[in-house]
Amino acid sequence: MSARFQTVTALIPAIPPYNFALTAGYATYFRGRYGTDIFENGAFRRLLDINGRLMLASLSARSPIAAPQLSIELTGTDVDRAAIGPATAQVAKILGTGQDLTPFYAMARQDKALTRLIGGLYGLHVPQTATVFEALILAILGQQISASVAHQLRTALIRAYGPSLTLAGTVYQAFPHPSSLATAGIEEFRTLGLSLRKAEYVSAIARAITDGKLDLESLFAKPESEVVTLLSSLRGVGPWTVEWLLVRALGRKDGFPASDLALLRMMGTLLGREAPVTPEEARAYSSRWSPFRSYVTTYLFAAARSGHLELLQPDDSPSDTEENESRPN
DNA sequence: GGCCAGGTTCGCT
DNA sequence: AGCGAACATGGC
């Protein structure tokens, strides 16, 4: 049963400045592969599920940051021109091509602590998840534990329950449907390494969706107050998860997970402190970044994930380095 | 081996 | 209201 594949191509414009490599890198945690997303050899790939049809999207950018254009190639057994619209819309959302950074940059240039940070990450947009469901499940899996354990759990869940398509010998996987997670048992989740609690949270959320009692995707168009109320009512969702989804799934500009341990450490460094800031300090200080705190959050995590911690160092430090090469002038 | 990780819930004061 | 314990598991 050799499937016959079709391929179609299109172009996606992005609002400049747009740095494709940085944005696709962020979406894959600068690891090359993370979860359903792959960024290798300059190409971002992800298996899309467009109304039940699986197709691989492969994206690349040739054009400069100031005049960005992404080329997309769709490959699958059921791909035709009609798939281009919905597929490009989904990828454009995932890679944040429609975001306008200009107002954020105008604010950040006036802010001493942010200047170096944004300078080193010029053109980074905020990647979004394809669905609110995906962001929520990933967030729950990542609560409290280290980034490496979170990576393991997320990978295991996607491998076990995500739809897959094999192309040229490579297996690609999309994020699991709510129905797949709803029919899986708590015990199955536990064998993947989830705690009993996380297994219960994921199971209950998936079942609520398939039962028609919960419509996460409708939150995208809802005002923030409603989003917060509904998400907070779910077991397993606290303040951190709500803020994380505002940033990562709902396209809000001013989300800020003030209780995030990593964020508190990064802010401490950014402000030239020895210790992490407290959640209260973080919240109070961050008000000056409003209404662009989702971008600040993303840029902080990008600096940490990409290993460029120097972007967090204060700019005005005297900087007496041991190996100082004498510089002219 | 112990403690901490990109939190949240639950049970006690 | 506020505080502490439990939770899974890899890494230091």
Side-chain angles (χ1 to χ4, degrees), chain A residues 137-298:
Chain A
I137 300 304
L138 292 177
I140 288 173
L141 294 191
Q143 286 167 357
Q144 160 60 24
I145 54 183
S146 63
S148 69
V149 177
H151 178 233
Q152 176 188 304
L153 295 182
R154 291 164 176 171
T155 303
L157 188 86
I158 291 165
R159 262 219 275 271
Y161 302 105
S164 68
L165 179 71
T166 303
L167 258 173
T170 303
V171 179
Y172 297 94
Q173 293 203 271
F175 197 78
H177 273 279
S179 57
S180 305
L181 300 186
T183 53
I186 305 277
E187 300 75 21
E188 286 184 37
F189 291 148
R190 300 225 62 200
T191 66
L192 301 180
L194 303 219
S195 64
L196 176 59
R197 284 236 265 264
K198 282 181 180 169
E200 287 171 348
Y201 300 157
V202 169
S203 181
I205 288 167
R207 277 185 281 111
I209 292 171
T210 53
D211 289 351
K213 295 176 191 154
L214 175 63
D215 181 7
L216 289 174
E217 308 313 319
S218 71
L219 292 178
F220 200 83
K222 296 257 165 72
E224 184 169 322
S225 60
E226 250 178 87
V227 170
V228 172
T229 304
L230 191 134
L231 287 178
S232 304
S233 74
L234 301 173
R235 264 192 97 229
V237 178
W240 176 86
T241 306
V242 173
E243 294 294 327
W244 193 245
L245 261 61
L246 289 174
V247 174
R248 205 66 185 80
L250 296 166
R252 309 302 154 104
K253 292 183 173 59
D254 205 27
F256 188 71
S259 58
D260 187 296
L261 275 183
L263 180 71
L264 297 174
R265 280 199 303 264
M266 294 184 284
M267 272 188 71
T269 307
L270 189 75
L271 302 182
R273 311 280 183 79
E274 303 273 325
V277 299
T278 66
E280 296 72 29
E281 272 183 292
R283 208 183 311 276
Y285 191 92
S286 75
S287 64
R288 77 195 60 200
W289 296 330
S290 219
F292 301 111
R293 291 183 296 177
S294 290
Y295 292 101
V296 177
T297 300
T298 300

